[in-house]
Amino acid sequence: MTKEADFDAVVIGAGLTGLYQTYRLREMGYRVLGVEGGDNIGGVWHYNRYPGARIDSESEVYGYFWNEQLMQEWNWSERFAAQPEVLSYIHRAAEIMDIRKDYIFNARVNKAVYDDDANLYKLEFQQPDRAPVTARFVFSALGPLSAPQMPNIPSINTFKGDSYHTANWPRDPNGVGPAKLDFSNKRVAVIGLGSTGVQMIQEMGKQAKQLTVFLRSPNWCTPLGNGPMEPERMDYIKSHYNEFTAKCDASLAGFPHEFILKNLFDVPQEERDAKLEELYKGPGFSLWLAAYQDVLSDPAANKYVSDFVAEKIRERVKDPRIAELLIPKDHGFGMKRVPLETNYYEVYNQENVSVVDLNTTPITRITPDGIQTTDALHEFDVIIYATGFDAVKGSWNRIDIRGTGGVALEDEWNKGVKTYMGMQCPGFPNFFMLVGPQSGATFCNIPRCSALAVDWLSEMMAHAKNTDIQRIEPEVAAAEGYTLYCSKLMGKLLLGQTNSWFTGINKNIEGRDKREVLLFVGGNPRFREYCDDVRDNSYKGFIMS
């Protein structure tokens, strides 16, 4: 029997995606509550305040494109904005949406249980003073990179110096950026060489008295191509936003880059090498997402580009031994997300920077004085863990989500992730995921791509409101068919054959050693076509009642 819920809908998360979904539901007349585990809005940009944090999307395509006031009012100061500016942008957008009044903060959901008889979810919170709330529909905007993961190293809590995970960096109490910490007389260790680690190493190389990089799995990194946003360019952007967004919407991953519609070896060597040189300099993901169309699918073409980037590393790093350590051996270029950098490789030429190769001398434990490897104790004042996240699934797995019959979502995912359009899982009616497993927005420029998903879901919720639909759940066959589609798309790209967070591998989590289908890699146009076909055929694959 259906009974009255406290709210028509609850949105979990106050990042860019959650704020927009809450706004859309409110504007449609739903009684909606936003809940956020932290003390303010901003999502990853609220938490990830480490020195050097910035976006790898061009500033002009990172944000909201539905509000003309915000688009014309906001002036970016850099081609690739730094964390404080991004968070300030989100705060201003929240003011325009007048969205804070719809949220409660310091309300971290730890349980969401579906009541079959009442057709509603009961949400409970970690904070004991927070009373549970009930809702007919739940929208989980948790983020694919928002569950920080510490490395699996013995005695990690015994270090007597300062230690930080980059996703929980100390905040400036009076601003939107990092706390002002002094590393000028500190011996600093950095563990982790993903995008965050690269940004952190660039900054610590400037600030620390001595920086030691613990290197296990290097990535292929290319120049960001950052610089000031000239006023003339900002003016041009404001009058041509429709062109920028159209370019993103036509691309593979929602960035303003398009592949060259030729195969690499069909182009004369002199011409192809000149093009690679041009793309290498950026801006942004130019070499990754705007090179020849077969680079991410043909092993020979991929090796050619990998060899090209390897030579760039050898040119930039003076010590040949260190250069070779920084060249990935376990994957080709672009098979993992490509960190973008500014003078990153040159950091390794500095006298105050050293490298410990964990492939030959692994870490055995953390000690009160530093990091013990198999051959030495390295003493430090500060240890920085740039070890990333329990990616894509992690934020959902950290909530006890129960569907029909009390079935746990984590248990179902342990058998194999199955979703319909990355938005719902069978057996979990009225529970929606935004930018989660198999979403078209996860392997993407998230603000742009998640907005497309929010708009589509909001259109479906408008239909539900107009037709008094109280329950929405995907058919098992529909979810199985969509997941198979995602798997086939992954199989066409080399990144689907690589161990990374793209494929669910995480060396710091027990049992995460088997590849999974977590991404939709068919590109923006193909995902929109799929969604539009579902809508135009009376939301086929969904059971609505």
Side-chain angles (χ1 to χ4, degrees):
M1 182 180 73
T2 298
K3 72 176 186 179
E4 187 71 13
D6 297 332
F7 296 92
D8 297 326
V10 164
V11 177
I12 308 173
L16 276 160
T17 304
L19 294 173
Y20 184 43
Q21 182 66 79
T22 302
Y23 174 77
R24 287 298 311 271
L25 290 167
R26 184 191 75 191
E27 294 302 291
M28 284 190 289
Y30 278 99
R31 296 177 302 126
V32 59
L33 174 70
V35 299
E36 165 57 41
D39 60 0
N40 210 330
I41 63 170
V44 295
W45 299 109
H46 177 65
Y47 292 103
N48 288 256
R49 301 193 187 200
Y50 59 88
R54 69 175 60 247
I55 57 177
D56 51 19
S57 308
E58 285 77 358
S59 296
E60 63 266 23
V61 298
Y62 195 91
Y64 294 125
F65 301 99
W66 51 268
N67 187 280
E68 190 67 21
Q69 177 186 349
L70 182 61
M71 291 163 65
Q72 295 305 317
E73 169 188 304
W74 192 264
N75 294 302
W76 294 105
S77 67
E78 293 183 272
R79 299 287 295 272
F80 295 85
Q83 175 271 328
E85 189 170 16
V86 177
L87 187 55
S88 295
Y89 171 89
I90 297 171
H91 284 191
R92 178 58 185 140
E95 291 175 358
I96 292 173
M97 289 186 282
D98 190 23
I99 202 71
R100 289 180 188 272
K101 63 182 174 55
D102 301 303
Y103 268 83
I104 57 173
F105 297 93
N106 298 308
R108 188 168 299 280
V109 177
N110 65 0
K111 202 167 189 178
V113 179
Y114 181 68
D115 184 326
D116 297 70
D117 295 329
N119 185 37
L120 54 75
Y121 279 88
K122 180 181 179 180
L123 282 73
E124 298 179 8
F125 302 95
Q126 286 184 10
Q127 293 83 354
D129 59 332
R130 285 284 182 199
V133 299
T134 59
R136 184 78 58 222
F137 299 97
V138 176
F139 294 80
S140 52
L142 306 177
L145 299 173
S146 58
Q149 183 64 46
M150 292 292 285
N152 185 19
I153 301 174
S155 308
I156 200 165
N157 294 318
T158 63
F159 182 59
K160 65 184 182 183
D162 296 323
S163 59
Y164 309 100
H165 190 287
T166 49
N168 292 309
W169 196 266
R171 290 183 265 158
D172 178 354
N174 301 312
V176 291
K180 294 174 175 60
L181 305 178
D182 184 6
F183 297 99
S184 61
N185 199 35
K186 304 288 187 180
R187 300 164 298 172
V188 177
V190 173
I191 300 174
L193 289 178
S195 296
T196 296
V198 167
Q199 292 179 339
M200 176 59 72
I201 289 164
Q202 291 171 177
E203 290 302 310
M204 284 301 107
K206 302 171 190 173
Q207 298 184 31
K209 176 183 178 182
Q210 178 66 40
L211 170 64
T212 303
V213 176
F214 285 79
L215 184 153
R216 182 178 67 179
S217 303
N219 282 285
W220 300 99
C221 308
T222 58
L224 175 63
N226 194 26
M229 179 70 79
E230 300 296 337
E232 296 80 12
R233 177 169 172 77
M234 195 69 240
D235 289 342
Y236 178 83
I237 289 167
K238 288 181 179 182
S239 61
H240 293 79
Y241 263 121
N242 60 327
E243 295 179 12
F244 287 101
T245 55
K247 193 170 185 178
C248 290
D249 294 349
S251 69
L252 174 68
F255 295 94
H257 305 291
E258 298 175 275
F259 287 105
I260 300 168
L261 298 180
K262 297 178 182 178
N263 291 334
L264 184 141
F265 291 112
D266 290 342
V267 178
Q269 183 173 354
E270 184 176 347
E271 179 183 338
R272 87 174 78 113
D273 289 350
K275 176 55 71 173
L276 295 181
E277 283 283 350
E278 173 191 332
L279 295 173
Y280 178 77
K281 298 173 184 176
F285 290 125
S286 295
L287 187 61
W288 187 25
L289 299 175
Y292 298 98
Q293 63 183 3
D294 59 342
V295 169
L296 299 184
S297 58
D298 178 67
N302 184 268
K303 183 179 184 304
Y304 192 92
V305 176
S306 300
D307 290 344
F308 169 83
V309 179
E311 282 305 308
K312 290 295 183 183
I313 296 172
R314 294 185 182 105
E315 290 172 8
R316 295 173 61 183
V317 179
K318 294 178 181 178
D319 185 330
R321 184 185 72 85
I322 301 299
E324 291 306 312
L325 290 178
L326 290 167
I327 296 172
K329 307 299 192 298
D330 63 342
H331 69 284
F333 177 79
M335 295 186 196
K336 297 182 181 181
R337 188 178 178 92
V338 176
L340 300 178
E341 48 85 17
T342 301
N343 298 322
Y344 166 67
Y345 289 109
E346 286 70 20
V347 171
Y348 294 95
N349 299 329
Q350 297 175 199
E351 291 185 3
N352 68 323
V353 177
S354 60
V355 174
V356 175
D357 179 13
L358 297 182
N359 293 299
T360 56
T361 57
I363 295 173
T364 59
R365 71 183 192 278
I366 304 297
T367 77
D369 297 316
I371 300 174
Q372 179 72 55
T373 66
T374 53
D375 75 334
L377 172 62
H378 303 268
E379 296 186 354
F380 298 105
D381 304 300
V382 179
I383 300 176
I384 297 172
Y385 298 101
T387 48
F389 305 89
D390 182 359
V392 188
K393 303 192 303 184
S395 296
W396 280 267
N397 283 344
R398 295 185 184 189
I399 299 174
D400 184 8
I401 300 166
R402 304 268 171 168
T404 55
V407 173
L409 182 63
E410 183 176 8
D411 290 343
E412 291 300 291
W413 281 0
N414 286 339
K415 301 173 189 175
V417 174
K418 293 179 183 176
T419 79
Y420 191 38
M421 302 162 64
M423 297 180 186
Q424 272 197 304
C425 297
F428 296 83
N430 294 354
F431 188 92
F432 298 95
M433 299 178 296
L434 297 164
V435 201
Q438 300 175 0
S439 166
T442 302
F443 180 69
C444 213
N445 172 23
I446 288 177
R448 180 58 189 161
C449 301
S450 69
L452 296 172
V454 168
D455 288 340
W456 190 92
L457 267 179
S458 297
E459 190 175 349
M460 184 170 76
M461 292 305 295
H463 168 73
K465 189 175 184 64
N466 293 335
T467 54
D468 196 29
I469 288 168
Q470 300 290 313
R471 193 176 189 275
I472 302 172
E473 180 183 1
E475 299 171 355
V476 172
E480 290 177 344
Y482 177 79
T483 300
L484 180 60
Y485 182 43
C486 290
S487 178
K488 289 180 177 179
L489 291 170
M490 282 285 284
K492 294 179 180 180
L493 296 181
L494 297 172
L495 62 84
Q497 304 164 32
T498 304
N499 292 342
S500 74
W501 67 262
F502 280 169
T503 53
I505 302 297
N506 192 318
K507 296 177 182 178
N508 290 315
I509 302 176
E510 185 177 353
R512 291 289 187 83
D513 54 357
K514 295 181 180 178
R515 294 177 191 160
E516 301 179 89
V517 180
L518 298 183
L519 304 180
F520 178 92
V521 296
N524 241 338
R526 193 174 290 175
F527 185 69
R528 288 201 317 278
E529 287 174 10
Y530 195 103
C531 292
D532 290 346
D533 180 63
V534 169
R535 179 201 61 207
D536 294 344
N537 285 277
S538 303
Y539 293 103
K540 67 178 181 181
F542 287 103
I543 305 167
M544 296 182 173
S545 58

